[in-house]
Amino acid sequence: MRFCPKCGAPTDDGAAYCEKCGAKLGGASDGEAANPPAVTSSESDAPIVVAKRSFVGHYGLLLPFLLVITFWLVIPLIALICMFLSNRTYRHYVYRDRYVYEGGLLSKKRRTQTMTQVLAVDIEQSFKGKIFNFGDVRVNLVGRGGLRIEGCKHPEEVASALQGLIAKGKDIKQFVAE
């Protein structure tokens, strides 16, 4: 009986190759074949093959599908809700003598601008603004460039309310003289 010089498995005397590891057996003499080679502990402890766990095989297609749905649907939905809530907090207040813009979801901000005499009121609406009834209202003021109320709902109503503040010719002369 001979032993394989590579793996130490017992083999037949006339065999050309080891049945266990497939190593060639032809070059060993009878004296060497009688003593099997020593196997080190590191070789015996080493795995023959490492099988990795399949993500889809372990979790199925449900988890990857849920991850895709979460990324593409839930996160944008949360962003839209935050934008909607933030947008609902902003207000434009127009008084006879001042304009106040305030709002904010987590941090509040407030901007006040003094209004002089109103010269003209213009509405700017895009095609989308005409469909969903929103737009910008531009107010030209005496002495200052003016103010712009951006993205307000029902801009016609806002503009008609502001047109009541439009100064007459003699009011403008009196205001400029002062």
Side-chain angles (χ1 to χ4, degrees):
M1 169 132 321
R2 294 174 55 187
F3 294 96
C4 174
K6 184 172 181 183
C7 68
T11 61
D12 293 331
D13 289 335
Y17 294 97
C18 176
E19 292 177 11
K20 186 173 180 181
C21 70
K24 189 172 182 180
L25 300 175
S29 66
D30 288 336
E32 291 177 4
N35 298 326
V39 177
T40 62
S41 63
S42 64
E43 289 177 3
S44 64
D45 292 341
I48 296 171
V49 67
V50 177
K52 296 181 181 178
R53 190 161 114 178
S54 168
F55 184 77
V56 175
H58 183 72
Y59 295 107
L61 289 175
L62 181 64
L63 185 65
F65 179 72
L66 290 176
L67 290 173
V68 167
I69 293 297
T70 300
F71 182 74
W72 291 105
L73 294 178
V74 174
I75 292 174
L77 183 64
I78 291 171
L80 282 173
I81 290 170
C82 289
M83 289 169 48
F84 175 75
L85 291 176
S86 175
N87 192 41
R88 301 277 297 170
T89 63
Y90 286 96
R91 299 277 189 260
H92 302 273
Y93 299 100
V94 180
Y95 301 97
R96 290 200 170 280
D97 60 341
R98 69 189 183 281
Y99 162 75
V100 178
Y101 172 74
E102 64 181 23
L105 187 61
L106 298 176
S107 63
K108 301 292 182 185
K109 71 177 181 178
R110 180 182 176 114
R111 186 181 74 201
T112 303
Q113 179 177 343
T114 304
M115 281 186 30
T116 57
Q117 294 292 323
V118 176
L119 293 175
V121 178
D122 297 321
I123 299 172
E124 294 177 5
Q125 276 185 306
S126 64
F127 180 71
K128 180 174 59 173
K130 289 180 182 180
I131 292 172
F132 294 107
N133 200 13
F134 72 92
D136 299 345
V137 177
R138 209 173 65 221
V139 182
N140 294 329
L141 301 173
V142 172
R144 293 195 127 168
L147 64 99
R148 183 183 193 106
I149 303 172
E150 294 181 350
C152 70
K153 291 181 181 179
H154 312 291
E156 292 86 11
E157 294 175 13
V158 175
S160 65
L162 286 169
Q163 286 175 350
L165 300 176
I166 291 179
K168 309 292 186 255
K170 68 177 191 169
D171 294 339
I172 296 172
K173 290 178 187 174
Q174 182 181 1
F175 182 79
V176 173
E178 292 175 359

PDB file of all heavy atoms in Angstrom, residues 106-129:
ATOM      1  N   LEU A 106     -39.809  75.137  11.276  1.00  0.00           N
ATOM      2  CA  LEU A 106     -39.067  74.942  12.515  1.00  0.00           C
ATOM      3  C   LEU A 106     -38.525  76.249  13.070  1.00  0.00           C
ATOM      4  O   LEU A 106     -38.539  76.462  14.273  1.00  0.00           O
ATOM      5  CB  LEU A 106     -37.913  73.958  12.285  1.00  0.00           C
ATOM      6  CG  LEU A 106     -38.347  72.555  11.855  1.00  0.00           C
ATOM      7  CD1 LEU A 106     -37.140  71.701  11.566  1.00  0.00           C
ATOM      8  CD2 LEU A 106     -39.213  71.918  12.919  1.00  0.00           C
ATOM      9  N   SER A 107     -38.032  77.100  12.214  1.00  0.00           N
ATOM     10  CA  SER A 107     -37.561  78.406  12.654  1.00  0.00           C
ATOM     11  C   SER A 107     -38.406  79.469  11.963  1.00  0.00           C
ATOM     12  O   SER A 107     -38.645  79.398  10.770  1.00  0.00           O
ATOM     13  CB  SER A 107     -36.079  78.590  12.319  1.00  0.00           C
ATOM     14  OG  SER A 107     -35.893  78.556  10.928  1.00  0.00           O
ATOM     15  N   LYS A 108     -38.852  80.421  12.722  1.00  0.00           N
ATOM     16  CA  LYS A 108     -39.733  81.461  12.188  1.00  0.00           C
ATOM     17  C   LYS A 108     -38.901  82.642  11.699  1.00  0.00           C
ATOM     18  O   LYS A 108     -37.894  83.007  12.285  1.00  0.00           O
ATOM     19  CB  LYS A 108     -40.703  81.952  13.274  1.00  0.00           C
ATOM     20  CG  LYS A 108     -41.570  80.858  13.849  1.00  0.00           C
ATOM     21  CD  LYS A 108     -42.546  80.353  12.837  1.00  0.00           C
ATOM     22  CE  LYS A 108     -43.441  79.284  13.440  1.00  0.00           C
ATOM     23  NZ  LYS A 108     -44.317  78.693  12.504  1.00  0.00           N
ATOM     24  N   LYS A 109     -39.356  83.223  10.605  1.00  0.00           N
ATOM     25  CA  LYS A 109     -38.723  84.454  10.136  1.00  0.00           C
ATOM     26  C   LYS A 109     -39.817  85.442   9.773  1.00  0.00           C
ATOM     27  O   LYS A 109     -40.923  85.059   9.392  1.00  0.00           O
ATOM     28  CB  LYS A 109     -37.767  84.207   8.981  1.00  0.00           C
ATOM     29  CG  LYS A 109     -38.380  83.853   7.668  1.00  0.00           C
ATOM     30  CD  LYS A 109     -37.287  83.707   6.630  1.00  0.00           C
ATOM     31  CE  LYS A 109     -37.853  83.384   5.280  1.00  0.00           C
ATOM     32  NZ  LYS A 109     -36.815  83.283   4.271  1.00  0.00           N
ATOM     33  N   ARG A 110     -39.492  86.711   9.903  1.00  0.00           N
ATOM     34  CA  ARG A 110     -40.459  87.767   9.644  1.00  0.00           C
ATOM     35  C   ARG A 110     -39.727  88.932   8.977  1.00  0.00           C
ATOM     36  O   ARG A 110     -38.675  89.357   9.446  1.00  0.00           O
ATOM     37  CB  ARG A 110     -41.084  88.214  10.957  1.00  0.00           C
ATOM     38  CG  ARG A 110     -42.103  89.296  10.805  1.00  0.00           C
ATOM     39  CD  ARG A 110     -42.621  89.695  12.187  1.00  0.00           C
ATOM     40  NE  ARG A 110     -43.527  90.802  12.073  1.00  0.00           N
ATOM     41  CZ  ARG A 110     -44.810  90.764  12.351  1.00  0.00           C
ATOM     42  NH1 ARG A 110     -45.336  89.636  12.785  1.00  0.00           N
ATOM     43  NH2 ARG A 110     -45.565  91.810  12.213  1.00  0.00           N
ATOM     44  N   ARG A 111     -40.298  89.428   7.890  1.00  0.00           N
ATOM     45  CA  ARG A 111     -39.723  90.571   7.178  1.00  0.00           C
ATOM     46  C   ARG A 111     -40.821  91.599   6.992  1.00  0.00           C
ATOM     47  O   ARG A 111     -41.924  91.280   6.542  1.00  0.00           O
ATOM     48  CB  ARG A 111     -39.186  90.110   5.821  1.00  0.00           C
ATOM     49  CG  ARG A 111     -38.449  91.213   5.076  1.00  0.00           C
ATOM     50  CD  ARG A 111     -37.968  90.748   3.745  1.00  0.00           C
ATOM     51  NE  ARG A 111     -39.141  90.662   2.863  1.00  0.00           N
ATOM     52  CZ  ARG A 111     -39.200  89.945   1.763  1.00  0.00           C
ATOM     53  NH1 ARG A 111     -38.177  89.230   1.398  1.00  0.00           N
ATOM     54  NH2 ARG A 111     -40.280  89.928   1.022  1.00  0.00           N
ATOM     55  N   THR A 112     -40.520  92.829   7.358  1.00  0.00           N
ATOM     56  CA  THR A 112     -41.482  93.915   7.235  1.00  0.00           C
ATOM     57  C   THR A 112     -40.894  94.972   6.314  1.00  0.00           C
ATOM     58  O   THR A 112     -39.719  95.327   6.423  1.00  0.00           O
ATOM     59  CB  THR A 112     -41.780  94.540   8.608  1.00  0.00           C
ATOM     60  OG1 THR A 112     -42.239  93.518   9.481  1.00  0.00           O
ATOM     61  CG2 THR A 112     -42.841  95.615   8.504  1.00  0.00           C
ATOM     62  N   GLN A 113     -41.733  95.496   5.415  1.00  0.00           N
ATOM     63  CA  GLN A 113     -41.310  96.555   4.501  1.00  0.00           C
ATOM     64  C   GLN A 113     -42.360  97.660   4.543  1.00  0.00           C
ATOM     65  O   GLN A 113     -43.561  97.392   4.472  1.00  0.00           O
ATOM     66  CB  GLN A 113     -41.177  96.016   3.078  1.00  0.00           C
ATOM     67  CG  GLN A 113     -40.757  97.052   2.071  1.00  0.00           C
ATOM     68  CD  GLN A 113     -40.579  96.450   0.676  1.00  0.00           C
ATOM     69  OE1 GLN A 113     -40.465  95.251   0.526  1.00  0.00           O
ATOM     70  NE2 GLN A 113     -40.558  97.309  -0.318  1.00  0.00           N
ATOM     71  N   THR A 114     -41.897  98.871   4.672  1.00  0.00           N
ATOM     72  CA  THR A 114     -42.805 100.007   4.667  1.00  0.00           C
ATOM     73  C   THR A 114     -43.309 100.243   3.253  1.00  0.00           C
ATOM     74  O   THR A 114     -42.538 100.205   2.296  1.00  0.00           O
ATOM     75  CB  THR A 114     -42.082 101.277   5.162  1.00  0.00           C
ATOM     76  OG1 THR A 114     -41.547 101.000   6.448  1.00  0.00           O
ATOM     77  CG2 THR A 114     -43.026 102.451   5.243  1.00  0.00           C
ATOM     78  N   MET A 115     -44.613 100.479   3.135  1.00  0.00           N
ATOM     79  CA  MET A 115     -45.196 100.742   1.820  1.00  0.00           C
ATOM     80  C   MET A 115     -45.490 102.233   1.715  1.00  0.00           C
ATOM     81  O   MET A 115     -46.159 102.802   2.558  1.00  0.00           O
ATOM     82  CB  MET A 115     -46.494  99.948   1.627  1.00  0.00           C
ATOM     83  CG  MET A 115     -46.246  98.525   1.274  1.00  0.00           C
ATOM     84  SD  MET A 115     -47.693  97.555   0.852  1.00  0.00           S
ATOM     85  CE  MET A 115     -48.854  98.633   0.158  1.00  0.00           C
ATOM     86  N   THR A 116     -44.962 102.845   0.688  1.00  0.00           N
ATOM     87  CA  THR A 116     -45.297 104.225   0.374  1.00  0.00           C
ATOM     88  C   THR A 116     -46.528 104.190  -0.524  1.00  0.00           C
ATOM     89  O   THR A 116     -47.262 103.221  -0.529  1.00  0.00           O
ATOM     90  CB  THR A 116     -44.098 104.894  -0.320  1.00  0.00           C
ATOM     91  OG1 THR A 116     -43.765 104.130  -1.475  1.00  0.00           O
ATOM     92  CG2 THR A 116     -42.899 104.943   0.613  1.00  0.00           C
ATOM     93  N   GLN A 117     -46.738 105.183  -1.297  1.00  0.00           N
ATOM     94  CA  GLN A 117     -47.887 105.217  -2.206  1.00  0.00           C
ATOM     95  C   GLN A 117     -47.718 104.179  -3.318  1.00  0.00           C
ATOM     96  O   GLN A 117     -46.647 104.024  -3.881  1.00  0.00           O
ATOM     97  CB  GLN A 117     -48.022 106.615  -2.834  1.00  0.00           C
ATOM     98  CG  GLN A 117     -48.371 107.690  -1.837  1.00  0.00           C
ATOM     99  CD  GLN A 117     -49.772 107.511  -1.285  1.00  0.00           C
ATOM    100  OE1 GLN A 117     -50.679 107.115  -1.994  1.00  0.00           O
ATOM    101  NE2 GLN A 117     -49.955 107.799  -0.013  1.00  0.00           N
ATOM    102  N   VAL A 118     -48.798 103.476  -3.629  1.00  0.00           N
ATOM    103  CA  VAL A 118     -48.792 102.444  -4.660  1.00  0.00           C
ATOM    104  C   VAL A 118     -49.023 103.090  -6.023  1.00  0.00           C
ATOM    105  O   VAL A 118     -49.971 103.854  -6.202  1.00  0.00           O
ATOM    106  CB  VAL A 118     -49.885 101.387  -4.377  1.00  0.00           C
ATOM    107  CG1 VAL A 118     -49.949 100.368  -5.492  1.00  0.00           C
ATOM    108  CG2 VAL A 118     -49.633 100.715  -3.041  1.00  0.00           C
ATOM    109  N   LEU A 119     -48.129 102.816  -6.968  1.00  0.00           N
ATOM    110  CA  LEU A 119     -48.275 103.340  -8.319  1.00  0.00           C
ATOM    111  C   LEU A 119     -49.010 102.365  -9.235  1.00  0.00           C
ATOM    112  O   LEU A 119     -49.875 102.770 -10.005  1.00  0.00           O
ATOM    113  CB  LEU A 119     -46.898 103.634  -8.926  1.00  0.00           C
ATOM    114  CG  LEU A 119     -46.105 104.764  -8.289  1.00  0.00           C
ATOM    115  CD1 LEU A 119     -44.725 104.850  -8.923  1.00  0.00           C
ATOM    116  CD2 LEU A 119     -46.849 106.071  -8.450  1.00  0.00           C
ATOM    117  N   ALA A 120     -48.633 101.084  -9.180  1.00  0.00           N
ATOM    118  CA  ALA A 120     -49.228 100.091 -10.084  1.00  0.00           C
ATOM    119  C   ALA A 120     -49.141  98.708  -9.445  1.00  0.00           C
ATOM    120  O   ALA A 120     -48.286  98.449  -8.603  1.00  0.00           O
ATOM    121  CB  ALA A 120     -48.507 100.085 -11.421  1.00  0.00           C
ATOM    122  N   VAL A 121     -50.049  97.850  -9.886  1.00  0.00           N
ATOM    123  CA  VAL A 121     -50.072  96.463  -9.426  1.00  0.00           C
ATOM    124  C   VAL A 121     -50.107  95.580 -10.676  1.00  0.00           C
ATOM    125  O   VAL A 121     -50.960  95.759 -11.535  1.00  0.00           O
ATOM    126  CB  VAL A 121     -51.303  96.188  -8.534  1.00  0.00           C
ATOM    127  CG1 VAL A 121     -51.324  94.737  -8.112  1.00  0.00           C
ATOM    128  CG2 VAL A 121     -51.332  97.098  -7.338  1.00  0.00           C
ATOM    129  N   ASP A 122     -49.166  94.646 -10.763  1.00  0.00           N
ATOM    130  CA  ASP A 122     -49.087  93.735 -11.907  1.00  0.00           C
ATOM    131  C   ASP A 122     -49.156  92.294 -11.421  1.00  0.00           C
ATOM    132  O   ASP A 122     -48.683  91.965 -10.337  1.00  0.00           O
ATOM    133  CB  ASP A 122     -47.764  93.923 -12.664  1.00  0.00           C
ATOM    134  CG  ASP A 122     -47.632  95.313 -13.249  1.00  0.00           C
ATOM    135  OD1 ASP A 122     -48.645  95.837 -13.729  1.00  0.00           O
ATOM    136  OD2 ASP A 122     -46.516  95.855 -13.217  1.00  0.00           O
ATOM    137  N   ILE A 123     -49.737  91.435 -12.262  1.00  0.00           N
ATOM    138  CA  ILE A 123     -49.807  90.004 -11.977  1.00  0.00           C
ATOM    139  C   ILE A 123     -48.978  89.268 -13.017  1.00  0.00           C
ATOM    140  O   ILE A 123     -49.100  89.538 -14.207  1.00  0.00           O
ATOM    141  CB  ILE A 123     -51.260  89.492 -12.030  1.00  0.00           C
ATOM    142  CG1 ILE A 123     -52.112  90.188 -11.000  1.00  0.00           C
ATOM    143  CG2 ILE A 123     -51.298  87.982 -11.830  1.00  0.00           C
ATOM    144  CD1 ILE A 123     -53.589  89.862 -11.126  1.00  0.00           C
ATOM    145  N   GLU A 124     -48.165  88.345 -12.553  1.00  0.00           N
ATOM    146  CA  GLU A 124     -47.396  87.488 -13.449  1.00  0.00           C
ATOM    147  C   GLU A 124     -47.784  86.046 -13.156  1.00  0.00           C
ATOM    148  O   GLU A 124     -47.635  85.571 -12.034  1.00  0.00           O
ATOM    149  CB  GLU A 124     -45.900  87.672 -13.220  1.00  0.00           C
ATOM    150  CG  GLU A 124     -45.397  89.038 -13.599  1.00  0.00           C
ATOM    151  CD  GLU A 124     -43.917  89.205 -13.288  1.00  0.00           C
ATOM    152  OE1 GLU A 124     -43.272  88.220 -12.871  1.00  0.00           O
ATOM    153  OE2 GLU A 124     -43.421  90.318 -13.458  1.00  0.00           O
ATOM    154  N   GLN A 125     -48.303  85.352 -14.179  1.00  0.00           N
ATOM    155  CA  GLN A 125     -48.693  83.958 -14.032  1.00  0.00           C
ATOM    156  C   GLN A 125     -48.133  83.143 -15.178  1.00  0.00           C
ATOM    157  O   GLN A 125     -48.220  83.552 -16.331  1.00  0.00           O
ATOM    158  CB  GLN A 125     -50.224  83.808 -14.039  1.00  0.00           C
ATOM    159  CG  GLN A 125     -50.894  84.028 -12.725  1.00  0.00           C
ATOM    160  CD  GLN A 125     -52.377  83.730 -12.825  1.00  0.00           C
ATOM    161  OE1 GLN A 125     -53.055  84.289 -13.677  1.00  0.00           O
ATOM    162  NE2 GLN A 125     -52.855  82.863 -11.954  1.00  0.00           N
ATOM    163  N   SER A 126     -47.599  81.983 -14.867  1.00  0.00           N
ATOM    164  CA  SER A 126     -47.162  81.054 -15.902  1.00  0.00           C
ATOM    165  C   SER A 126     -48.362  80.216 -16.324  1.00  0.00           C
ATOM    166  O   SER A 126     -49.458  80.345 -15.775  1.00  0.00           O
ATOM    167  CB  SER A 126     -46.047  80.152 -15.351  1.00  0.00           C
ATOM    168  OG  SER A 126     -46.555  79.352 -14.309  1.00  0.00           O
ATOM    169  N   PHE A 127     -48.162  79.355 -17.296  1.00  0.00           N
ATOM    170  CA  PHE A 127     -49.235  78.464 -17.740  1.00  0.00           C
ATOM    171  C   PHE A 127     -49.700  77.573 -16.589  1.00  0.00           C
ATOM    172  O   PHE A 127     -50.886  77.393 -16.356  1.00  0.00           O
ATOM    173  CB  PHE A 127     -48.748  77.621 -18.924  1.00  0.00           C
ATOM    174  CG  PHE A 127     -49.777  76.668 -19.449  1.00  0.00           C
ATOM    175  CD1 PHE A 127     -50.888  77.134 -20.144  1.00  0.00           C
ATOM    176  CD2 PHE A 127     -49.648  75.307 -19.238  1.00  0.00           C
ATOM    177  CE1 PHE A 127     -51.846  76.262 -20.615  1.00  0.00           C
ATOM    178  CE2 PHE A 127     -50.602  74.428 -19.708  1.00  0.00           C
ATOM    179  CZ  PHE A 127     -51.704  74.905 -20.396  1.00  0.00           C
ATOM    180  N   LYS A 128     -48.726  77.034 -15.855  1.00  0.00           N
ATOM    181  CA  LYS A 128     -49.041  76.202 -14.698  1.00  0.00           C
ATOM    182  C   LYS A 128     -49.758  77.028 -13.630  1.00  0.00           C
ATOM    183  O   LYS A 128     -50.674  76.541 -12.973  1.00  0.00           O
ATOM    184  CB  LYS A 128     -47.749  75.604 -14.140  1.00  0.00           C
ATOM    185  CG  LYS A 128     -47.925  74.716 -12.951  1.00  0.00           C
ATOM    186  CD  LYS A 128     -46.631  74.037 -12.537  1.00  0.00           C
ATOM    187  CE  LYS A 128     -45.549  75.023 -12.200  1.00  0.00           C
ATOM    188  NZ  LYS A 128     -44.344  74.439 -11.636  1.00  0.00           N
ATOM    189  N   GLY A 129     -49.363  78.284 -13.466  1.00  0.00           N
ATOM    190  CA  GLY A 129     -50.013  79.162 -12.494  1.00  0.00           C
ATOM    191  C   GLY A 129     -51.458  79.459 -12.849  1.00  0.00           C
ATOM    192  O   GLY A 129     -52.316  79.581 -11.975  1.00  0.00           O
TER     193      GLY A 129
END
